Each structure stands twice: as C-alpha cells, then as structure tokens.
Amino acid sequence: MMRMKMSALCGFVLTTLLVLASARPKAGPEQKCKSGPVDLVFLIDSSRSVRPHEFETMRKFMIDILSTLDIGLNATRVGVVQYSSQVRSEFSLKTHPGLDAMVKGINEIIPLAQGTMTGLAIKYVMNSAFIDEEGDRPKVPNVAVIVTDGRPQDRVAEVAAEARGKGIEIYAVGVARADMASLRAMASPPFEDHVFLVESFDLIHQFGLQFQDKLCGVDLCLESEHSCEHICESSPGSFHCLCLPGYTLREDGKTCAAIDLCAEERHDCEQICVTSPGSFTCDCNKGFKLDEDKKSCTMIDYCSFGNHSCDHECEGVLNGYFCRCHQGYRLLDAKRCEAIDLCAEEKHNCEQICFSAPGVFTCDCNEGFKLNEDKKTCTHMDLCSSVQHGCEHQCVSTPGSFYCVCPEGQLLQEDGQSCGSCKSANIDLVLLIDGSKSVRPQNFELVKKFVNQVVDSLDVSAQGTRVGLVQYSSRVRTEFPLNRHHTADEIKAAVMKVDYMEKGTMTGLALKHMLETSFSEAEGARPADRNIPRVGLVFTDGRSQDDITEFAKKAKEAGITMYAVGVGKAVEDELREIASEPLEKHFYYTTDFSAISTIAENLKLNVCPAESQGKIEVKDPCACESLVEFQQATMSSLEQLTSKLSAMTARLEQLENQLLSRK
C-alpha cells in the first residue's frame, strides 16, 4: 500500500522516459532532475516481428532514458527484462550501480526473436524482478515500462491487474502494430498519462517531448484550480484528489462522500450500530449492556447486584429477576424457601421405614428384613440370597452373616469367595492395548482403569507375577517391560501415566512385537525351561489394519496363553483367531467401554503351579517360612470376617435406633 501511495515518485519514471525521448543533447549531471529514488524495470519486446534495426532503436531509446536519470544504489535502480515466447532477465535492480555498466549491459543484449508472451513477462517482473533478493527496496516506488510492437499472444488483463494491485505502476509504450486495447489493459490509470502509441520505432523518441515539463514542472495543487474537496496530491506534471479518513472519492474524482459502515452493514455490532464517517460504535437495547469487546451485548444480571434477598437462587430476566428454590424445596413467598418432607406429609409408599430428604425419600426395613427390588416393600433376610455374596460355588447363611464353601477337591481362595485346586499362580503377563484414534481419549482412560483392575487380581512381585504393557496404533510402543516394576502399586501408577497414541490399528504388528520382543529374557521374561506361564492379553476396539493370522498362530504355538478382549466395533472373528482354546474362557466382548470393568472382574488369568509352573521350589509345610505364611493368611481371613461383623452390627444398631425414634 505504501508503494501505491507514492505515485508522485512513480511519475518520475514516466518523466524520465519523456526526457530520454527528447532530442536534446544528453544532460550533464547538474541537469538531471531528482524526484527521489525509484526502482525501474524495462520490459522490452524482442519478438521476431521486431526487426534488427528496430531493436537497435529500442536499445538506444533505453540508453537515452538512462542518461537523464540519477542512477545509483540510493537513487534510481534499473533492471532490464526482454521477452518473446520466453522471458529472460538481462540484469536486475541490484546488478549495476552505475550508468556505464548499464549501457554496456544493454548493448550486449541478444534478441530472442520468437513469439509475444506479454502476460508471461508481466508475471515474471511481478514475481521475480521486484523482490528483495533482486534489489527491490521497501517503500520505494516500483515502475515497469513495457515497450511492444504487437498484440500479446496470451492474456494480460488479469496478471497486469494483479501487478498493479501489488503497487507496480505500469507504463505501456506501443509501436506500429501494437494493439491499443491491450496497452490500456496493461497500463496504470489514468491512461492519458500511462499509455503511448507511436507509428514506428523511429518516432519512439518523440513522445518524450510532451512530458519533459512534467519531470521538473510546477506543483499543480498549489498553482492551479484543482477543485479537490478534501486533499490534493501532486505528481510530476499532474495531481489527483484524495479524501480524509472516513470518506471515499466520488466518481467525479474530486468530491468526497462519507462512508456509512452501518448502512452498508460493514460492522459487527450485535444489536445497535451508531455511525460516523468511516467508522462506527456499538450500543445495546434496553436491559442489555455492552461487553468488553465493544460489540456484543449481555443481558443485565440484576441478581449480581446482591440485593435480591432470595433464600436459594436468583434467576435474572429482562429488566428484572425472580427467586427460585433448590430441588426438594418450595417457595413460602416470593423469596423464602422451605424443605418438602414427603415422609411427614405421608407422601410415600414405604412399607416399614421412610427416610426423608428435601423433596425425596428412601425406604428401609426393620431388623431381620431386607428391602425388595421395588425399593418399597420388605421381606425376611436371607443374606445369601439378598446380598452380593460373591461366592463362586455355594453361599451358606448364618444368623446375620454368611460364608462361602467350595466343592470337594477344591480350596477356598484367599479372597474368601472363589474356588480352585491351588492358590494364585505366578505368570509373565503382557497386555497389548489399542491406542488407535477410534478409542478416543475418555475411553482410553477407561482402558487404563481396566488394566489396573486386572493388575489388582494378581500377586505381583519380582518372583511372582510380572506384568508388561505395550500400546499400539499405527506403530508399537513398549510402555514398560516385564522387569520394570515389581509391585502392583508401581505398575498401576505407571499405567495412569501412559499417553494416548491415536492413529491406526496395527494389531498384527503388535502381536509380532509381543512374541519377538516383550517375551524375551532381555525384556524380563523368565527362561522357558522354568515353565512360568506366559500370558498375552489383547485389548482392541476395531478391525486390524494389518493381518493378524500369522503372529496370532505363532504366539499360541510358542505356548503363550492368549486372551482377546473386544469393545464396540471390534471384529469378533479376529478376536476368536487371537484367543486360546477354550474360547469361552479366553474371549470377551462388550459393546460399550463403560462395561469393560465387568470383564475385568470376570477375567481369570491365574494358572495353578501344579499344572504349569514346572520347576518350582516345593516348601516344607513345617518350615518356619511356611508357618508364617499360614499365620498371615489366617489372620487376614479373621480380619475380613471381623470387618464384616462390625459393619453388620453397626447396621443393626442404626435400624434399632430408627425403630425407637418412631415409638
């Protein structure tokens, strides 16, 4: 924009052309008119229609013009580009700092003698000549002088308009066969100052005489009746009118009209636009206030004034407010609230005991009764049938309590609920979790909780169960190997720090990584001759983008027990191909991430030592260490039973107090 505004300096080039064209003797340095620095590029037509002697005339034309200019790196810089069917830069704005070198460069030009691609030449000048690397200076006018003898063979209007839009002032000099319409399409306005047409190359110098006075002429804004309503801006031999900020020049080129941005809908006020010449301010309707952005409006919140006196909540409305109570309360008057006691008002359907809270109630039962599924009626308590006892085989009720028993030949496990032929086994477990984009961040957090649920069910230690974690998407990343963490708390903390990968679903690549890397001794897997069970668990939510068949098969052939857990769009056939036999114990699927915690509760990864641990040290049951372990297990069971009895006693006391209070 700065270049476009410096039209007075740009006119200097045209003036220079004129002086150059004059037939007067070459001016000495003291005769040169200085109008300030200009970056000037000659664009000369060297097509085959330009005869050799005509090209020599054009060469002399440029040299004569240069002789009138104040040439220098801090004054006028000049570049020359010739064109025909192609474009060639003869020298750039930064090539020659003095006149003699420029004249020598012009005399060495060899015509291209091909077609007339004027549009291509203008584009080259715009993108390759007037650039910093070629000597173009910021805030210095850019002027292009096009000399041609024929009609362009390509489109010039669009590229010339783009060049003018970038601040390049274009003079079009046509000779002989040149097309006036094309010259006007190329040149800057006004055309009477920028378009010239002469009959032959021999006459090309004559057009300069009429502009000689413009180079060092008078200031027409000061010495003529310019009729500009606001501002007159001079240029050599001419002037043009400008308007004050907020006004636009009318078509007569002299008078100015105020710019009404509100009427033209060139504002971003939300409600009311207040206009001023070339500007506007925003305002709001009654009951609203102007926001800090000075554009949008917000309803005035009368509640925020702090004088509403509402017991609970104040709700603002246009030009006022009203009071509202919390759920379970009702208005006594316009501002005060009272709790709704449904039990006292007998607006409940509890069979025995009603507990009230504001606006709601819950039912309970007397001692020896349990609340039915309808949450209203009561029946006599049978803890085995009325609570989630968790017994795997059989629950035996006792007064106020229960205990679990196992079938003959099986032992009750340490959790007091499950049964087995042995206690928890030691395994090497590697979990492969899907970190693809389809999982999404919130679901990935559920996946990490699922992993920690699995870890909670294991006896983790360096000598017991070892756990490794691998995440995969379009690539595979080991989050931690089998030998990194030796306690459940360490593993769970590391799991929660895992970052979500996103991208694709390369399940086959993950299986390959698990088989070849994760279960290596370098990663912490114990030697195969110790027969420590190796277990792999694959968690995915979609179809694999690569083949899983090869490495799913190889993993199972290598003795790895494979579990497959699928969610949502996971492909059942792929999960079955991954899982070990029998499928009902190794294959799990759910449609929703929120249900994977249930899968974690039902997942049984433990394997009995007698069946698969191979070389395991069998301890003497009478040894001190074994007796200590037995004592610890017994004390743990007693503590669990004591805790259950304490909780039940507290509950019975609560129910008894409730009955007494009702009496």
Side-chain angles (χ1 to χ4, degrees):
M1 293 299 295
M2 181 65 73
R3 291 174 175 170
M4 298 179 68
K5 292 180 180 178
M6 299 177 69
S7 59
L9 294 177
C10 297
F12 161 74
V13 174
L14 176 54
T15 305
T16 307
L17 292 172
L18 315 175
V19 174
L20 171 280
S22 72
R24 300 179 183 180
K26 189 179 295 185
E30 71 281 1
Q31 295 175 307
K32 295 181 180 180
C33 183
K34 300 181 180 180
S35 297
V38 174
D39 289 338
L40 169 64
V41 174
F42 285 101
L43 191 58
I44 59 173
D45 180 355
S46 64
S47 60
R48 65 174 64 90
S49 61
V50 180
R51 299 177 180 84
H53 73 276
E54 294 175 335
F55 192 83
E56 292 304 317
T57 303
M58 195 185 311
R59 196 193 307 269
K60 184 176 183 303
F61 166 73
M62 288 188 291
I63 293 173
D64 288 345
I65 289 180
L66 295 181
S67 300
T68 67
L69 302 180
D70 182 19
I71 301 295
L73 293 178
N74 296 320
T76 297
R77 296 186 182 184
V78 180
V80 176
V81 175
Q82 68 158 318
Y83 73 94
S84 59
S85 296
Q86 56 183 308
V87 182
R88 186 169 70 199
S89 175
E90 298 300 334
F91 56 83
S92 69
L93 293 168
K94 68 177 182 180
T95 303
H96 300 306
L99 177 62
D100 293 340
M102 289 184 186
V103 172
K104 183 175 183 296
I106 291 174
N107 285 328
E108 293 175 352
I109 295 175
I110 299 174
L112 295 170
Q114 297 173 357
T116 310
M117 302 295 285
T118 310
L120 181 65
I122 296 173
K123 185 174 183 179
Y124 176 86
V125 169
M126 175 176 60
N127 295 330
S128 301
F130 287 117
I131 59 176
D132 296 344
E133 293 82 354
E134 295 299 323
D136 181 56
R137 293 168 289 180
K139 300 183 180 180
V140 173
N142 288 347
V143 178
V145 178
I146 304 172
V147 183
T148 181
D149 79 325
R151 183 190 299 272
Q153 294 175 338
D154 57 354
R155 300 170 66 91
V156 297
E158 293 84 353
V159 69
E162 184 180 356
R164 295 193 300 268
K166 290 186 176 181
I168 301 173
E169 187 169 5
I170 301 176
Y171 293 87
V173 181
V175 182
R177 299 166 294 277
D179 175 52
M180 176 58 78
S182 298
L183 296 176
R184 292 170 68 90
M186 293 185 285
S188 298
F191 296 139
E192 58 267 22
D193 292 339
H194 294 83
V195 177
F196 306 94
L197 181 61
V198 295
E199 296 178 359
S200 68
F201 281 94
D202 294 334
L203 301 175
I204 195 171
H205 299 284
Q206 296 180 3
F207 81 90
L209 295 174
Q210 58 184 308
F211 300 103
Q212 186 172 1
D213 292 337
K214 294 184 179 180
L215 181 60
C216 299
V218 298
D219 187 336
L220 296 180
C221 286
L222 296 176
E223 302 185 23
S224 69
E225 292 293 333
H226 54 75
S227 301
C228 295
E229 183 178 354
H230 285 181
I231 302 170
C232 177
E233 184 173 279
S234 293
S235 59
S238 182
F239 70 88
H240 62 276
C241 298
L242 300 174
C243 295
L244 295 171
Y247 293 82
T248 182
L249 196 65
R250 289 193 172 99
E251 292 183 0
D252 60 9
K254 297 180 180 181
T255 59
C256 299
I259 300 172
D260 188 344
L261 297 179
C262 293
E264 296 175 10
E265 295 187 355
R266 293 163 56 190
H267 66 88
D268 47 4
C269 298
E270 183 178 352
Q271 294 186 358
I272 300 173
C273 178
V274 180
T275 188
S276 58
S279 183
F280 66 89
T281 56
C282 299
D283 203 350
C284 298
N285 297 324
K286 183 179 179 181
F288 292 83
K289 64 179 180 179
L290 197 63
D291 294 336
E292 291 184 1
D293 62 6
K294 303 301 181 183
K295 299 174 184 178
S296 56
C297 298
T298 302
M299 188 174 68
I300 297 173
D301 184 4
Y302 289 92
C303 293
S304 65
F305 298 161
N307 58 356
H308 53 75
S309 302
C310 295
D311 261 4
H312 288 178
E313 300 175 14
C314 177
E315 182 74 20
V317 295
L318 187 61
N319 297 318
Y321 70 92
F322 67 90
C323 296
R324 187 171 61 187
C325 296
H326 298 324
Q327 185 175 3
Y329 293 80
R330 60 189 164 211
L331 279 170
L332 282 174
D333 50 37
K335 297 182 178 181
R336 294 183 301 155
C337 300
E338 68 170 356
I340 301 171
D341 187 344
L342 297 179
C343 291
E345 296 177 9
E346 296 187 354
K347 294 181 179 179
H348 66 87
N349 48 9
C350 298
E351 182 179 350
Q352 294 185 359
I353 300 173
C354 176
F355 290 108
S356 181
V360 295
F361 67 89
T362 56
C363 299
D364 206 346
C365 298
N366 298 324
E367 182 180 0
F369 291 84
K370 67 171 184 175
L371 197 63
N372 293 330
E373 291 184 359
D374 61 6
K375 304 299 182 183
K376 300 172 185 177
T377 59
C378 302
T379 57
H380 286 284
M381 293 179 65
D382 178 1
L383 291 181
C384 282
S385 60
S386 61
V387 299
Q388 295 294 327
H389 55 76
C391 295
E392 181 179 340
H393 179 64
Q394 183 179 351
C395 174
V396 178
S397 290
T398 60
S401 184
F402 68 90
Y403 63 91
C404 301
V405 296
C406 294
E408 185 177 356
Q410 293 193 24
L411 301 175
L412 191 66
Q413 298 296 295
E414 292 179 359
D415 61 5
Q417 297 174 335
S418 58
C419 301
S421 56
C422 59
K423 297 293 183 181
S424 298
N426 300 330
I427 61 174
D428 286 345
L429 170 64
V430 174
L431 298 106
L432 305 181
I433 59 172
D434 184 351
S436 62
K437 187 175 182 180
S438 60
V439 173
R440 294 185 292 188
Q442 63 271 30
N443 290 332
F444 190 72
E445 294 302 312
L446 296 178
V447 173
K448 292 195 287 187
K449 291 181 179 179
F450 165 85
V451 171
N452 283 346
Q453 277 187 272
V454 174
V455 172
D456 282 334
S457 69
L458 303 173
D459 180 19
V460 177
S461 67
Q463 289 73 38
T465 292
R466 298 182 181 182
V467 179
L469 181 64
V470 174
Q471 184 183 175
Y472 70 95
S473 59
S474 298
R475 57 189 179 88
V476 181
R477 182 173 73 201
T478 297
E479 302 295 350
F480 51 84
L482 289 164
N483 57 3
R484 175 73 58 80
H485 303 298
H486 303 306
T487 68
D489 288 341
E490 290 177 359
I491 293 173
K492 288 160 65 177
V495 169
M496 296 311 295
K497 294 179 181 178
V498 171
D499 291 328
Y500 179 35
M501 293 174 70
E502 297 191 359
K503 298 189 177 179
T505 310
M506 304 294 284
T507 310
L509 184 64
L511 289 169
K512 181 176 184 294
H513 180 88
M514 177 198 72
L515 178 64
E516 298 177 352
T517 303
S518 300
F519 280 117
S520 66
E521 292 186 25
E523 294 274 307
R526 285 165 282 196
D529 59 1
R530 290 187 58 185
N531 290 331
I532 301 296
R534 295 182 175 182
V535 180
L537 189 152
V538 178
F539 184 101
T540 182
D541 84 319
R543 181 185 296 275
S544 176
Q545 294 174 338
D546 61 351
D547 181 62
I548 65 166
T549 302
E550 178 183 357
F551 288 97
K553 180 179 179 183
K554 286 184 177 180
K556 289 180 279 190
E557 289 176 348
I560 300 172
T561 302
M562 295 299 300
Y563 288 78
V565 179
V567 180
K569 296 181 180 180
V571 179
E572 185 173 340
D573 290 341
E574 289 186 354
L575 297 173
R576 291 179 178 275
E577 191 168 0
I578 293 171
S580 296
E581 295 289 340
L583 291 178
E584 61 269 21
K585 292 185 178 180
H586 299 87
F587 162 65
Y588 298 85
Y589 175 79
T590 181
T591 57
D592 194 312
F593 276 88
S594 62
I596 61 176
S597 60
T598 304
I599 292 179
E601 293 173 1
N602 296 329
L603 194 62
K604 303 299 181 182
L605 295 178
N606 291 332
V607 183
C608 287
E611 297 174 359
S612 57
Q613 277 195 310
K615 296 180 180 179
I616 278 198
E617 180 183 0
V618 179
K619 299 180 180 179
D620 181 357
C622 296
C624 179
E625 181 181 355
S626 298
L627 291 173
V628 170
E629 290 180 356
F630 173 77
Q631 183 181 13
Q632 291 174 342
T634 303
M635 292 299 295
S636 176
S637 298
L638 288 173
E639 288 174 358
Q640 292 178 8
L641 181 58
T642 301
S643 177
K644 290 181 180 178
L645 290 173
S646 297
M648 184 161 289
T649 300
R651 177 60 177 159
L652 290 172
E653 289 177 354
Q654 181 185 14
L655 294 173
E656 183 177 357
N657 291 334
Q658 291 170 359
L659 286 173
L660 292 173
S661 64
R662 295 188 67 186
K663 293 178 180 179

